[in-house]
Amino acid sequence: QVQLVESGGGLVQSGGSLRLSCAASGRSVSSYNMGWFRQAPGKEREFVASISVTNAKDYADFVKGRFTISRDNAKNTVYLQMDSLKPEDTAVYYCAAGESVRLLNRNYGDYWGKGTLVTVSI
């Protein structure tokens, strides 16, 4: 199995940027489809972005043009670069690994991190 640890969250003003990191151990991120998800208080978890084992990328409509997902196999880390942040982006962001990119894009992952909090002020 693979263990995932997110970092990089924090408080940022609207319009600012953050880069989230998902450090993996136990297995290589190159062996998995990887995704980012988020959950705001009182709301269900939602898909944000994914990168497949073949490096195909998918994004939720609300982050297209603002967020970029990438992987660095040498560092065994997946990143989410977040630009032009909005208050509605405030949520706990989770990293996940999955055997199936189709399932991952439907909110089903095989392995999950514990999350990192992103707060965007007005």
Side-chain angles (χ1 to χ4, degrees), residues 28-50:
S28 173
V29 295
S30 66
S31 300
Y32 293 94
N33 306 291
M34 303 294 297
W36 286 97
F37 304 80
R38 70 187 189 186
Q39 186 169 24
K43 297 184 178 180
E44 294 185 356
R45 186 179 65 217
E46 61 184 352
F47 168 79
V48 175
S50 68

